Amino acid sequence: MGNAKDTQGSWEVLTKQQHIAVLGQKYPERSFTALAHHIDLGWLREAYRQTRKEAAVGVDRQTGAEYGEDLEENLKDLLERFKSGQYKAPPVRRVEIPKGKGETRPIGVPTFEDKVLQRAVVMLLEPLYEQDFLDCSYGFRPDRSAHEALEEIWQRLMRQGGGWVLEVDIRKYFDTLDWKQLREILDRRVRDGVIRRQIDKWLKAGVWEQGEWHSQSRGTPQGGVISPMLSNIYLHAVLDEWFEEEVQKRLKGAGYLVRFADDFVMIFELEQDARRVMEVLGKRLQRYGLTIHSEKTRLVEFRSPRGGNPGGRPRGGTFDFLGFTHYWGKSRKGAWVVQRKTSKNRLSRSLQQIHQWCRQHRHRRIRWQHRKLSQKVQGHYAYYGITGNGRSLQAFLEGVKKSWYKWLKRRSRNRRLDWERYNQLLQHYPLPAIRIVHSVYAAKP
């Protein structure tokens, strides 16, 4: 009965979302003032169903399982507080995770209840803004992925024989997004008072770090699903629309934008177009409180060697996007093609994380370590297992084996663990073989 009830609730939510989508498409210039009424108890149940239950806990330390013990009463109480305006957005618990080279990256962890409400509001905004978002945007959108963004770049570069690639990095984007500008952008489509007040509460909730609350005057509440939604809305207006409506019609050659959240590249057929856009891009972003990271932003000549280039070597350098370094190389048939490999920073970071994990869990049972380590290796293949990336995958696998060997050896006090015995152990507990999950040559459906 429970499953049937969940299925019915999911269909009811889907029907409402389709209605919102139809209205959004029918009235592209309208700002909607009545949206919150769609969020009812069934809507919150669906939001709860879509929220991960095993994720890290927020400032209240409540787990998803604990919240679900009295689910109906909890959701009824949440709905009442949300609709009446009495819901208080708790601060986000901030933790630091390793980024590589001794650096860390802050991650926000909302409370579980806050995650449910954020999911509910995103479920409301998504069908509306999906009518507005452009094809160049791939991050945190339904039925879109990083690998589709990578494939789009590959297809564009192969069709025009490369070009000039503007690799852009926005400095601390999620921390510097301007609230005043965001509110003005939201006004174009959403003026529902309940929804807008709730978004303001999330923006002002602040951060809980090392036992202290810190207020914020810019940025989005990282860690929850509302942050990427608001960020996409912001960059849609700041970057995507600007490039399509203002930039492309002024180019003398072809030009394309591919964006995944705040990571994006621009591809140009002509150098003069690339340099003109590079010159005005910083000014455009500054108008909205954003700054280009000068050391990480560069223009790359990325043209195919075919066509009489002396020496038959690629002109220019390489560029990185979504964890992959793009470069020109020869296929097995001898043709010049765009190839990708795991970027050095990402490979180093992945191996560092494996190394730390092996060290932390070296005293656990071998069978348990093998199962967990295999899951991590498979997860790496799931993202980086792309055609032509075999060498990087092999380097990762060898690095995993070395880390596991090192920390198993450290715990072996009664008998010496040498490489011969370790290889015998790997025969009983083999790590997953290299697997190509994504083919860059596969045609789009």
Side-chain angles (χ1 to χ4, degrees):
M1 292 296 292
N3 290 336
K5 184 177 180 180
D6 290 343
T7 301
Q8 181 181 358
S10 298
W11 276 109
E12 290 175 353
V13 169
L14 181 60
T15 300
K16 292 180 180 180
Q17 289 178 316
Q18 290 173 339
H19 176 67
I20 295 170
V22 168
L23 291 176
Q25 188 176 44
K26 186 176 181 180
Y27 303 104
E29 304 298 326
R30 175 184 291 184
S31 182
F32 292 86
T33 58
L35 290 170
H37 67 279
H38 290 293
I39 300 180
D40 54 17
L41 198 56
W43 191 284
L44 287 182
R45 286 196 201 99
E46 179 62 16
Y48 168 82
R49 189 186 68 80
Q50 294 185 23
T51 303
R52 287 181 56 202
K53 314 300 187 294
E54 69 282 0
V57 296
V59 292
D60 63 355
R61 299 291 173 179
Q62 186 180 45
T63 66
E66 291 170 344
Y67 191 85
E69 290 175 359
D70 196 7
L71 182 61
E72 287 300 301
E73 290 302 316
N74 285 334
L75 293 182
K76 288 178 182 177
D77 181 57
L78 174 59
L79 182 62
E80 172 61 29
R81 284 179 286 136
F82 167 65
K83 290 294 183 71
S84 65
Q86 296 178 357
Y87 180 83
K88 295 182 179 180
V92 174
R93 184 171 69 88
R94 175 170 287 175
V95 295
E96 301 285 340
I97 64 171
K99 188 178 180 180
K101 296 183 179 180
E103 299 179 358
T104 60
R105 180 164 59 98
I107 291 293
V109 184
T111 64
F112 182 81
E113 182 176 67
D114 205 48
K115 292 177 185 177
V116 173
L117 187 56
Q118 286 189 31
R119 174 65 66 183
V121 172
V122 167
M123 287 161 51
L124 193 70
L125 297 177
E126 192 171 76
L128 175 62
Y129 277 100
E130 277 298 310
Q131 311 313 308
D132 300 344
F133 289 161
L134 303 178
D135 288 341
C136 63
S137 169
Y138 289 85
F140 304 103
R141 294 181 58 189
D143 301 321
R144 289 190 154 226
S145 69
H147 291 96
E148 288 181 319
L150 290 165
E151 181 184 354
E152 177 67 14
I153 291 175
W154 189 84
Q155 295 285 354
R156 295 284 189 186
L157 290 171
M158 288 297 295
R159 276 199 292 268
Q160 66 180 37
W164 293 81
V165 177
L166 183 54
E167 182 183 354
V168 185
D169 184 274
I170 301 177
R171 186 187 296 272
K172 296 183 177 180
Y173 171 67
F174 288 95
D175 294 328
T176 58
L177 185 149
D178 185 88
W179 290 356
K180 182 176 182 294
Q181 301 274 11
L182 174 62
R183 292 184 182 109
E184 291 176 357
I185 292 171
L186 286 169
D187 281 343
R188 303 176 191 175
R189 290 299 255 164
V190 180
R191 289 181 179 268
D192 184 293
V194 176
I195 300 298
R196 292 297 299 274
R197 280 194 299 270
Q198 185 55 52
I199 290 175
D200 271 351
K201 288 179 180 180
W202 280 319
L203 294 176
K204 298 175 181 178
V207 172
W208 186 264
E209 187 173 17
Q210 296 181 347
E212 293 184 358
W213 177 77
H214 302 275
S215 63
Q216 292 179 300
S217 58
R218 304 173 72 86
T220 59
Q222 293 187 54
V225 293
I226 195 64
S227 179
M229 183 77 232
L230 295 177
S231 301
N232 264 343
I233 292 171
Y234 199 73
L235 279 182
H236 166 74
V238 174
L239 185 65
D240 302 354
E241 286 186 326
W242 171 72
F243 190 85
E244 182 174 275
E245 298 172 7
E246 301 288 335
V247 174
Q248 281 189 320
K249 63 184 181 183
R250 290 179 169 84
L251 299 177
K252 296 185 180 298
Y256 310 97
L257 165 69
V258 178
R259 180 174 68 82
F260 188 94
D262 62 320
D263 292 326
F264 65 93
V265 293
M266 295 176 175
I267 303 170
F268 301 93
E269 181 182 4
L270 303 177
E271 179 183 5
Q272 58 179 315
D273 286 337
R275 294 198 179 279
R276 286 174 57 204
V277 174
M278 187 177 184
E279 185 178 340
V280 299
L281 179 61
K283 299 174 184 177
R284 171 68 181 181
L285 295 179
Q286 274 186 342
R287 285 179 53 190
Y288 293 88
L290 303 175
T291 306
I292 286 180
H293 197 305
S294 58
E295 295 180 0
K296 297 181 180 180
T297 298
R298 61 199 184 101
L299 181 60
V300 180
E301 183 182 9
F302 191 81
R303 290 186 288 169
S304 170
R306 65 176 182 264
N309 186 38
R313 303 173 70 90
R315 288 171 283 193
T318 64
F319 70 93
D320 288 354
F321 186 61
L322 297 181
F324 290 91
T325 296
H326 296 64
Y327 65 99
W328 284 101
K330 284 194 174 182
S331 69
R332 293 181 178 179
K333 296 182 179 180
W336 286 101
V337 296
V338 177
Q339 297 183 342
R340 309 87 170 313
K341 60 183 178 181
T342 310
S343 66
K344 290 182 179 179
N345 289 341
R346 289 292 186 92
L347 180 58
S348 176
R349 188 192 309 174
S350 298
L351 289 175
Q352 183 181 22
Q353 291 171 348
I354 291 291
H355 187 82
Q356 293 298 327
W357 185 90
C358 290
R359 177 185 181 184
Q360 181 181 358
H361 299 285
R362 64 187 183 274
H363 295 299
R364 301 293 294 265
R365 298 184 63 175
I366 299 293
R367 184 184 300 274
W368 182 89
Q369 288 189 50
H370 172 255
R371 185 175 73 253
K372 295 295 184 180
L373 203 54
S374 295
Q375 292 173 356
K376 293 180 179 297
V377 172
Q378 292 283 21
H380 187 88
Y381 295 163
Y383 186 79
Y384 293 102
I386 194 169
T387 303
N389 196 30
R391 289 184 180 179
S392 294
L393 296 179
Q394 185 64 44
F396 172 76
L397 182 58
E398 292 303 316
V400 172
K401 290 179 180 179
K402 289 178 181 178
S403 289
W404 200 23
Y405 169 69
K406 175 179 179 178
W407 292 108
L408 286 179
K409 185 176 180 180
R410 290 286 182 93
R411 81 171 195 166
S412 300
R413 298 178 179 176
N414 297 328
R415 61 180 184 140
R416 186 185 178 112
L417 179 67
D418 55 21
W419 273 101
E420 182 178 353
R421 287 185 177 136
Y422 179 59
N423 285 325
Q424 291 175 356
L425 182 144
L426 287 177
Q427 291 180 4
H428 291 285
Y429 298 100
L431 292 173
I434 292 172
R435 188 164 67 97
I436 300 300
V437 180
H438 308 278
S439 172
V440 296
Y441 303 107
K444 290 184 178 180

